[in-house]
Amino acid sequence: MSKKNQSKADAHSFFSCIEKNFDKAARYLSIKKGLLEQIKSCNAVYRMHFPVKIGKEIQVIEAYRVQHSHHKLPCKGGIRYSIKVNQDEVMTLAALMTYKCAIVDVPFGGAKGGIKIDPQIISAENIEKITRRYTSELIKKNFIGPGIDVPAPDYGTGEREMSWIFDTFLSIRPGEVDALACVTGKPVSQGGVRGRKEATGLGVFYGIRELCKMKEEMLSVGLDIGLNGKKVIIQGLGNVGYHAATFFHEAGAIIVALAEREGAIYNKKGLNVSNVILHLKKTGSILNFPESKNIEDTEKALELECDILIPAALENVIHKHNANRIKAKIIGEAANGPVTPEADDILGKKGVLIIPDIYLNAGGVTVSYFEWLKNLSHVRYGRMEKRFSENMNTELLQVIETSCRKKIPIEEKKMILRGPREIDLVRSGLEDTMINGFHKIRDLKKSLKIENLRTAAFVLAINKIIDSYEKLGIFP
Ligand code: GLU
């Protein structure tokens, strides 16, 4: 381990970092200690080892599924494939899911899964074997099911893995009518919902856009209102970072730097995100992109001049050793846990506005909720109302045209007539969720005079969880 990583790892466990944030928030509430302990702790940790034949060898695979909270069921959260997976990490990510779901009013308890493998060096065939075996282990112990625990994609997994999980579940539980709802993030052709893939990145965009509309906050960091012309750096070009970058680019922000594992690229006039992706597909790396400067040490990209910094990869990338060198005025936590508590304090003192992960990256689970509902209702969004809305709109336009004695141009007419498609409904549901979530946190921050948005977000989450415990009558 490098000296730098050593000192990071020595500091605290990831779980205790989240507990610190929780404890700060608890000071604003008068809740019994035992109840706070119950909310904080992980309800169930399933650590497994199973053998998989890879080539001629048998390999023992280490994997986890952690259910952090059962206050609402099913539990919900992604599955991560990474060689760095460990129990502390999965427990922390599961806890973050609980708070995230509470903040955006998604009725799930938090969970997370992880398999300790490097998917970049394992063949697709072997990843399939491992995924299917992991799923059957979950089924054996009743750790998966539409009303029990519903996995989704995370770092290192995607639609492909989710469809293997679904297929394995269905083959072991044939005839289960709600089987499609046992996992979300599936391909649309296999019961997925339109708009799930880009949901986390789009949610990140909506959340930061909302903050940038606030006069008071923008004034505090010396920025103009709106996204147009704002300089943005994105770390991580996976599913979340890539989509976030695309939405910011389309909204007129200037993407000055993009960072990946192998290094970063920089152009103060802005990078064209879709061209960078084409370059990445062609060469296997973002480096040497035309009209940009290479930055070999990818961590250095976080320290470049910009207005908005979006860490969209892994945890703990902003820590006490680099926090002082961060120049961004706004940090949008697209990843889970990218800022350590020490860094959070340093940045807070510098006046940096941090939009916390437990709110900002909740777009993924929000649209997963829509997918789960779609699977349970067995009907595509918009199927019932699309034609009805179109007929209503046609009649309305006819009345307007006759009474105004004026014809509406055909192109405008088409726009107004169109009934909602699944993607329209999913995106508007996501936009509404992200805007409402932001204002609930901001209002709470103001009314209780809370020091920052993260603590306010935790206060909101704790309040919501307490509410549902009270409704269950467990803690009168
Ligand atoms: N892995 C995503 C997250 O961290 C999505 C979870 C889900 O959709 O259940 O929020």
Side-chain angles (χ1 to χ4, degrees), residues 42 60 85 93 140 204-205 213 261 308 312 329 427:
C42 279
V60 179
V85 159
L93 296 169
K140 260 199 279 185
V204 167
F205 169 76
K213 281 184 188 163
R261 289 188 218 211
I308 305 172
K329 298 174 180 99
R427 287 206 172 170

Side-chain angles (χ1 to χ4, degrees), residues 150-408:
V150 181
D154 198 79
Y155 187 84
T157 57
E159 290 185 338
R160 183 183 68 167
E161 286 73 18
M162 302 308 118
S163 60
W164 289 330
I165 293 175
F166 165 62
D167 187 57
T168 310
F169 185 84
L170 192 62
S171 66
I172 298 179
R173 298 268 170 80
E176 189 161 322
V177 69
D178 289 329
L180 267 177
C182 79
V183 61
T184 61
K186 302 178 291 294
V188 173
S189 59
Q190 281 182 59
V193 74
R194 286 160 188 85
R196 173 63 185 84
K197 215 175 180 171
E198 66 274 28
T200 313
L202 184 55
V204 167
F205 169 76
Y206 287 145
I208 297 178
R209 187 189 66 181
E210 207 50 28
L211 173 76
C212 290
K213 281 184 188 163
M214 302 298 114
K215 216 171 162 181
E216 197 182 316
E217 280 84 344
M218 290 305 99
L219 211 66
S220 78
V221 288
L223 291 175
D224 290 336
I225 285 177
L227 289 177
N228 201 25
K230 289 222 162 46
K231 285 181 257 132
V232 179
I233 296 177
I234 299 185
Q235 186 220 23
L237 264 188
N239 184 45
V240 180
Y242 162 64
H243 284 109
T246 309
F247 291 116
F248 275 96
H249 182 64
E250 282 170 7
I254 303 166
I255 312 294
V256 290
L258 290 168
E260 261 291 330
R261 289 188 218 211
E262 70 273 16
I265 49 173
Y266 175 76
N267 180 344
K268 71 169 186 231
K269 290 200 186 119
L271 299 158
N272 181 314
V273 179
S274 35
N275 287 347
V276 174
I277 296 299
L278 287 178
H279 173 81
L280 172 65
K281 282 194 181 138
K282 214 164 84 191
T283 67
S285 162
I286 59 168
L287 294 177
N288 303 318
F289 179 67
E291 289 171 45
S292 72
K293 206 175 117 197
N294 282 347
I295 297 165
E296 299 213 337
D297 182 357
T298 191
E299 285 194 27
K300 287 283 164 219
L302 301 168
E303 300 168 17
L304 295 169
E305 201 75 53
C306 70
D307 299 317
I308 305 172
L309 171 63
I310 305 179
L314 288 171
E315 55 265 21
N316 296 340
V317 293
I318 303 176
H319 41 82
K320 64 178 175 192
H321 303 288
N322 64 1
N324 253 322
R325 295 195 296 270
I326 301 287
K327 296 185 189 69
K329 298 174 180 99
I330 298 170
I331 297 179
E333 294 187 339
N336 289 308
V339 177
T340 66
E342 291 94 343
D344 202 39
D345 290 341
I346 298 171
L347 293 163
K349 281 185 194 129
K350 281 176 36 149
V352 178
L353 294 173
I354 302 182
I355 317 185
D357 49 359
I358 51 170
Y359 154 71
L360 194 65
N361 70 31
V365 75
T366 301
V367 177
S368 273
Y369 171 47
F370 300 157
E371 180 175 334
W372 183 75
L373 291 174
K374 171 186 179 176
N375 296 152
L376 293 179
S377 65
H378 300 260
V379 65
R380 166 174 45 83
Y381 287 106
R383 176 162 180 187
M384 307 290 278
E385 64 270 42
K386 189 169 181 292
R387 181 73 52 181
F388 178 77
S389 305
E390 283 173 3
N391 292 343
M392 284 287 285
N393 294 345
T394 311
E395 278 177 34
L396 206 72
L397 280 191
Q398 270 164 6
V399 174
I400 295 171
E401 283 187 331
T402 342
S403 52
C404 299
R405 292 201 195 91
K406 209 178 156 195
K407 285 268 171 228
I408 296 167

Side-chain angles (χ1 to χ4, degrees), residues 37 43 79 92 96 111 132 158 162 174 218 241 253 267 363 372 378 382 388 423 426 441 474:
E37 284 303 317
N43 288 179
I79 300 175
T92 314
L96 289 173
R132 288 185 182 278
M162 302 308 118
M218 290 305 99
N267 180 344
W372 183 75
H378 300 260
F388 178 77
I423 184 75
V426 164
I441 298 169
I474 300 175

Side-chain angles (χ1 to χ4, degrees), residues 69-77 97-111 146-150 362 365-373 376 381 433 464-465 468 471-472:
S69 178
H70 293 153
H71 77 288
K72 292 223 166 164
L73 288 170
C75 296
K76 188 86 189 78
M97 286 307 303
T98 297
Y99 307 130
K100 204 184 292 186
C101 290
I103 287 170
V104 289
D105 268 329
V106 163
F108 297 139
I148 299 168
D149 187 344
V150 181
V365 75
T366 301
V367 177
S368 273
Y369 171 47
F370 300 157
E371 180 175 334
W372 183 75
L373 291 174
L376 293 179
Y381 287 106
T433 303
K464 293 264 177 152
I465 298 165
S468 46
K471 279 188 192 118
L472 285 173

